[in-house]
Amino acid sequence: MKLATVHSRAIVGIHAPEVVVEVHISNGLPALTIVGLPEAAVRESKDRVRAAILNSHFEFPARKITVNLAPADLPKEGGRYDLPIALGILAASGQIDADALANKVFIGELALSGALRPVNGSLPTALALKHSGATLVCSPDNAREAALVEGIRIQTASDLLTLCNHLAGLASSEEAMAEAIEPLTTADGYIPDLEDVRGQHQARRALEVAAAGRHNLLMIGPPGTGKSMLASRLPGILPPMSEQQALESASVYSISHQGFDPAQWKRRPFRAPHHTASGVALVGGGSYPTPGEISLAHNGVLFLDELTEFDRRVLDVLREPLETGSITISRAARQAEFPARFQLIAAMNPCPQGYACDGKDLCKCTHEQQKRHQSRISAPLLDRIDIHIEVPRLDKSALDQHAPKGESSAAVRERVERAWRMQMQRSGKTNAELNSKEIEQHCRIGAAESRLLEQAMDKLKLSARAYHRILKLARTIADIADSERIETPHITEAISYRNVDRFRQA
């Protein structure tokens, strides 16, 4: 009877807890049993592992083999345990040296030929190993993603036989093993520029304010006025992602069905789900929870076009993550938490017919119909959107090809970055993320500004949450103006960004 131990990692949310693969070979009828809460893909690994071992010119023991995936109460899914199970069987049967497996972590799915296939979640696995001193052994396709984490050692192999030869110390296999993978650099490519937007000066200003403080934004206007165009330009005026932010966003994609695309490294995500999307599509879910659109937009932008066409219950699932920056998904089998610190940008038509209120000769909707149309969005969700602006139909002169273009994204981004630096030095976070205590500390206003805000509260019947969001918005406007103090013009502009509140009181 022989026992071998191999180390691997599971995926729970964006975390990678340790899994110890224990393989025991004993006398008895030939059989391979896997225990430790394996799901279907893990249970099926017994056939893949057997074929891979035989096709790699090793002997598959004709004895009773028990594989335990510890801890036993952690559900195991996917084909990532194929490689450690195969190595455990070979070590327990004496075909490879068990000591060669020490201080290494193995992940990978095996083809029937013994070839090593990539699996999801190599980046969270690499992050979990950063301070452990262990070497990650994976497929070449996973190595470039894992190499985004500095300070860990990575080895790759194309197949089981090459890996086993390397573990045995055969010189001929050293050249087939990669131990140094060139890290990714920031990808180049076209990013939509703000100078393409004609006219819409107020909307451009609101977009800059939203970017400078990471505020949520709602644009209201008829079709064809540039709402979607403006939204797609927001990532181009946001400051570059930090290394930590880039790793967090890449980790979410790494565990998703889409996988991580190296071309998107350090690019802020821009997600635009269709209005038929379900609540599960937005927040994530499934028997084994996977990230939804709000997590895929982490550290980036979530754009909801045709906001009033979304199911109201679907929109209301956004309320909690907008406040907390994360989402916890609980299922009968397991629970997972995903990051969801996204910037919400939404667009909607002002009435069911879709025409602008300034085109009353075309609009046949009554005022009550318009109010019912806008009431499809709950007040608590609107409260969480700092900026509400109108995007009116463009004047013909603005469409003239000879008309001067507006400011470029680079020029606007320069002011946005300066405002971000001020916020980081002052509170270590953007203004939109300030809590109540921090608002009192960093968003102090004078008596005149306080009276102005109180009048707006009474007239627009604003909630306490809206009051605090106006203060944070005014703080951002002051930062753009490089002002230490929030002054009356800053409060006035912040109040002017509550168009929906004014419409509801009309």
Side-chain angles (χ1 to χ4, degrees), residues 20 76 93 107 124 149 175 183 248 262 286 344 360 397 411 422 485:
V20 179
K76 319 298 188 306
S93 60
I107 59 170
V149 182
E175 294 180 0
E248 288 176 358
L344 176 63
K360 292 185 178 180
S397 60
M422 293 175 64
R485 181 177 175 274

Side-chain angles (χ1 to χ4, degrees), residues 79-146:
R80 63 193 304 107
Y81 305 105
D82 288 5
L83 179 60
I85 289 173
L87 292 173
I89 292 174
L90 294 175
S93 60
Q95 299 180 74
I96 63 173
D97 185 6
D99 292 337
L101 305 177
N103 204 34
K104 290 183 174 63
V105 172
F106 301 88
I107 59 170
E109 180 182 328
L110 290 174
L112 299 185
S113 63
L116 197 55
R117 289 174 171 163
V119 295
N120 288 345
S122 61
L123 182 54
T125 301
L127 284 168
L129 299 180
K130 185 171 184 178
H131 302 293
S132 69
T135 299
L136 175 64
V137 182
C138 59
S139 77
D141 291 330
N142 283 142
R144 197 179 184 201
E145 178 181 321

Side-chain angles (χ1 to χ4, degrees), residues 331-391:
R331 295 293 183 266
R334 62 194 298 184
Q335 184 183 77
E337 182 178 349
F338 299 106
R341 195 166 296 283
F342 59 92
Q343 187 169 2
L344 176 63
I345 306 297
M348 59 177 278
N349 297 327
C351 61
Q353 189 180 354
Y355 292 109
C357 294
D358 58 0
K360 292 185 178 180
D361 54 327
L362 300 174
C363 185
K364 299 179 181 179
C365 299
T366 65
H367 184 68
E368 287 302 315
Q369 286 176 318
Q370 291 181 0
K371 292 193 73 172
R372 279 199 303 272
H373 176 73
Q374 295 200 6
S375 67
R376 294 181 184 180
I377 311 167
S378 67
L381 177 61
L382 280 174
D383 254 359
R384 289 166 169 81
I385 301 178
D386 303 347
I387 303 176
H388 314 149
I389 60 163
E390 294 180 12
V391 185

